[in-house]
Every structure is written in C-alpha cells, then in structure tokens.
Amino acid sequence: MDDKPRNLRAMLAEAKDLSELMVDLAYAALYFGDPDMATEVDELEVQMTELVKDMRAVCIMAVRHPREADGMSSVLQVISAIERIANDAVDISRIVTRRLGIPAELVAHLSSAEEISHRLVVHEGSHMVRRPLGDLELPVVAGMRVMAIRRERSWITDVRGDQLMMPGDVLFLRGSPDGIMRLHQLAAAPMWEEPVAPEDPWISDLDRAVDVLVEMKDLSEAAVGLAYSALVLKDRGLAAQVRLLEGRLDEMNHQLELWVLRAASNNIDPSPLRGLLHLGQAAEDIGDQARQMISLVELGEEVHPILEIALGDSDEVVVELPVARLSGADGTSLKELALNIEPGFTVLAIRRAGRYIYRPGGSAALYAGDEIIASGPDEGREALAERFGWNLVREEEGLEDELQPMGS
C-alpha cells in the first residue's frame, strides 16, 4: 500500500476494502481488548485520509463539462460515505485506546457472531513460515480467510495465494471463531482463551443492551454489504432493504440509550457504560452511510459507471446467483453448504418470491428459484457458481458474465 493507485477506479476499490478492514479490526480490538490492534486502525486512517483527498482531486479534475457533473457527484457521495465508515471504525477502536469501558458481557457475546475478526502473529518454526498462503488452505482448515497482512510497517491488502508467509508477519483474518485454536497451532502462537461473561449477571436492562449491540453490529455490516450490492446491481429492492435496516438501527440505538440510562440509575458503576453509548452511535452511523449510498438508486439518480466497475474490482466482489433445480444447493441449508469456508463467500441476502431475507443464519435453506446476493473473493466465483448448478463464463471487461446450466 506504499504506492498510490494510479486511477480513480483502483482508488475506489482500495478505499472500499480499506474501510471494511478498519471496521473489522476495530471490532476485533474491542473483542480482544487489544490496544495495539486499535492503534493500527488509527494508522490505517492516515492512509484513508490521503486516499480520500486524492480521489476528490481526481473527481474535480475529471469534470470537463457540466453534463459530467451529475455523474461525478454520485462518486463523491460514495467517497464521503466510505470516509465516514472509516471514521466510525476509528470511533469504535478508541473505546479501547481511551479506555471508555465496555461490559465484559458484550465482549463475551461478540463471540456469538457467525464471523469475527482475528489477529495472528506468525512465529519462526511454525507450519506457516515460508509457505505460500494458498498451500495452507486456511478457509478449509480453519474456516478463516486472510484479509490483510502487516509486515513490519508495510501493509499487504491485495493478498494472493502465492504470498509467502514470513516470521513476524501479522495476519488479519475473518471467519468462524471455531477455527481460532487451529490457527494458533499452525502459527506456533500462544494458545487463545475465549472471553467469557462474569458469573455475576447484570440487571435486565444491560442484558438487553448487550444483546441489541451485538445485533446492531451484524445489521450495520449487513447494511453496508447490501448497499454496495444495490449500487453494483442497480437493484431498488436491495436499496429498500438497506433503508429498512437503517431505520431499525436508529430505533435500536434509541432503545439502547434508554436502557443504559436506566441501568446507570441502579447503583451500577457507570464507567463501562460509556463504551456502550459510543459503540451504539458508531453502528447507527455506519447504517446511515449505507443509506446515503443507496439513495442514488432509490431516487433514480445517475450513477457513474466507474462505481460499478470499481466496487466489482475490490478484494471482495458482490455476486447475484440463482439456485438451479436439482443442484447441490437446492434444499440445502447454508450451514451444510459452508460457503464461507469454501469458496469463501458470505451470503448477504436471499431473494425469494420478490422478498428478501437479509443476513440469513446457518439454518436457512435454499430452494430452486431462490437468488442469493453474496460477497467473497473474485477467484472463487466459478466454484460458487458450480455449487449452485452453473458454469460461469467470464466475458471481456465491461460485459456481463454469462451463467450456463451445468451439463449444457
């Protein structure tokens, strides 16, 4: 990430990936109570600030005629939303660095999320050292994928399978918490102990506040993923779902504030409660930025073609895929499909009979005629299509890829 991208398309893709990495690291810093990880979010903010400044400058220089202004304004709107999401990540990380306090119950409850982020140092003599990342097959072995690598003071965000693992590399991964113990074994790292809630329970208001915050985390991340999908696919149905999620996040944050204030009046130490309020506000604002992005689709405004291209070029692409009859996915639950392990895709929503099921759990079953909206690595798109009964034929840049029924 030392070299600046040379064009707006590359910069937009990098900014999207960077903001998502920052959010992941911020929540992970909170989960592990790790000030070092939180500090790395601050360092990434410096890079984001430079990236945003460069993108805005390119946008201004690119407008040579008044007709081009409307299209470029949509790009600036998305840039601003991405910048705000990155700022929200910094706010979350500062709950740790400024010791604002967070109840131990929340830390323990965060482990109930289907996916969490993790930070891992590769030690000399481990199974990983001087081996290509692809050979390790971490999504299969541990159910986690590498989002970024920090090597000394340099960041590697375009992580490929031929990337050699070196002693001292700091890996930032995302996936099922069930794979963390296996990861530590592979890296010869100290054993990890999962955070647990204290034996003395909080009063009911704080119990509810903790549950709401865990849901707000999941909903805010789902809203952003669906917003990018709505922009790429120009789908007003997805945009409407983002609007519903944003409204739900606003309502939940109001409930959270009420419960925290009630709890503070019951002779409870208020110091751990400040972090709850900061976290709720950050999660709500992430939802607000998702809503800001999809307003372009809702209002039918001109969306610059570079947004679709750039968002599709990021480390994680968004795909829309129907379930073919009698395919391996027909009548199968998401847990059984284990798409997050192989080929590394997360299902953001299921479209069934014109309605959406967002952030579906592992028990959700798929049936012929359903369509999934999922995000994952570009190199896994062919394998994903095969799981749903299709051969993916990649077309030239600018043309839509073709799905052909398997066996045709």
Side-chain angles (χ1 to χ4, degrees):
M1 293 178 60
D2 293 333
D3 296 328
K4 291 184 178 180
R6 289 174 293 179
N7 56 62
L8 182 58
R9 165 180 158 178
M11 286 191 285
L12 276 167
E14 182 178 327
K16 171 186 177 291
D17 293 335
L18 191 59
S19 67
E20 291 177 333
L21 174 61
M22 291 173 70
V23 171
D24 285 333
L25 292 184
Y27 277 119
L30 196 65
Y31 179 57
F32 295 108
D34 189 336
D36 292 335
M37 193 181 297
T39 300
E40 293 187 22
V41 177
D42 284 333
E43 294 178 1
L44 288 174
E45 184 193 24
V46 175
Q47 298 189 31
M48 177 63 83
T49 300
E50 287 295 315
L51 197 55
V52 166
K53 183 177 71 173
D54 291 344
M55 286 191 292
R56 286 178 173 149
V58 170
C59 287
I60 293 171
M61 294 175 64
V63 177
R64 297 181 177 89
H65 192 280
R67 288 196 305 269
E68 300 171 346
D70 286 343
M72 197 55 70
S73 69
S74 67
V75 178
L76 288 169
Q77 187 169 329
V78 172
I79 290 172
S80 294
I82 291 174
E83 182 184 27
R84 282 284 297 274
I85 291 171
N87 291 340
D88 290 328
V90 173
D91 288 343
I92 294 170
S93 69
R94 286 177 180 170
I95 296 174
V96 178
T97 55
R98 294 180 178 176
R99 302 183 185 277
L100 296 181
I102 203 78
E105 285 80 0
L106 176 59
V107 174
H109 276 64
L110 286 175
S111 64
S112 66
E114 290 188 9
E115 286 197 337
I116 65 170
S117 298
H118 191 65
R119 178 177 182 266
L120 182 72
V121 179
V122 177
H123 287 69
E124 181 70 78
S126 74
H127 178 72
M128 292 183 172
V129 168
R130 296 179 183 87
R131 294 188 61 188
L133 180 61
D135 288 357
L136 298 174
E137 297 185 326
L138 297 182
V140 176
V141 173
M144 301 195 86
R145 60 190 184 278
V146 177
M147 303 182 299
I149 301 170
R150 182 169 59 76
R151 181 168 293 164
E152 296 180 349
R153 305 308 301 172
S154 298
W155 282 85
I156 304 169
T157 55
D158 185 14
V159 182
R160 302 181 183 274
D162 59 358
Q163 181 69 54
L164 289 178
M165 299 293 96
M166 302 301 292
D169 280 355
V170 182
L171 309 185
F172 297 91
L173 307 102
R174 183 170 178 82
S176 169
D178 297 336
I180 292 179
M181 295 297 290
R182 179 60 179 149
L183 282 174
H184 279 248
Q185 293 172 352
L186 292 173
M191 285 298 97
W192 174 74
E193 294 185 5
E194 182 176 345
V196 296
E199 294 182 1
D200 295 332
W202 289 75
I203 64 171
S204 58
D205 278 334
L206 274 185
D207 283 335
R208 286 185 289 178
V210 165
D211 290 340
V212 162
L213 269 174
V214 173
E215 187 177 356
M216 288 183 74
K217 171 188 178 293
D218 291 340
L219 291 186
S220 63
E221 291 175 331
V224 172
L226 291 177
Y228 287 132
S229 304
L231 283 172
V232 170
L233 303 172
K234 298 183 177 67
D235 190 319
R236 290 196 178 190
L238 281 178
Q241 291 299 308
V242 174
R243 178 168 24 88
L244 291 174
L245 289 180
E246 188 267 339
R248 175 66 178 145
L249 283 164
D250 286 346
E251 178 185 331
M252 293 171 78
N253 194 44
H254 292 155
Q255 292 175 340
L256 174 71
E257 291 172 348
L258 178 62
W259 291 334
V260 169
L261 290 172
R262 282 179 181 169
S265 66
N266 286 307
N267 297 320
I268 289 179
D269 179 10
S271 57
L273 306 183
R274 293 182 300 161
L276 288 177
L277 295 174
H278 280 260
L279 187 55
Q281 183 59 48
E284 181 192 9
D285 193 63
I286 289 173
D288 290 342
Q289 301 319 305
R291 172 68 186 275
Q292 183 74 6
M293 285 190 280
I294 59 94
S295 66
L296 298 167
V297 179
E298 284 187 314
L299 298 174
E301 295 183 4
E302 180 182 356
V303 177
H304 199 288
I306 200 169
L307 285 174
E308 180 180 352
I309 297 171
L311 298 180
D313 272 357
S314 62
D315 287 347
E316 286 204 347
V317 297
V318 174
V319 298
E320 188 175 29
L321 198 63
V323 179
R325 188 174 299 278
L326 302 180
S327 66
D330 188 3
T332 307
S333 71
L334 291 177
K335 182 177 181 180
E336 292 170 322
L337 287 171
L339 300 176
N340 61 325
I341 296 176
E342 183 64 37
F345 275 76
T346 299
V347 176
L348 302 172
I350 302 169
R351 179 159 52 200
R352 177 176 296 156
R355 302 185 64 181
Y356 288 91
I357 304 168
Y358 65 86
R359 203 73 171 183
S363 61
L366 299 174
Y367 300 97
D370 288 349
E371 290 181 286
I372 66 157
I373 294 91
S375 64
D378 181 63
E379 62 270 18
R381 290 172 58 201
E382 285 86 352
L384 181 69
E386 289 178 5
R387 302 285 293 277
F388 287 79
W390 306 95
N391 289 318
L392 177 67
V393 180
R394 295 199 183 230
E395 300 291 351
E396 295 180 2
E397 185 175 320
L399 299 177
E400 188 173 347
D401 294 341
E402 182 182 355
L403 290 175
Q404 298 178 347
M406 294 187 68
S408 62

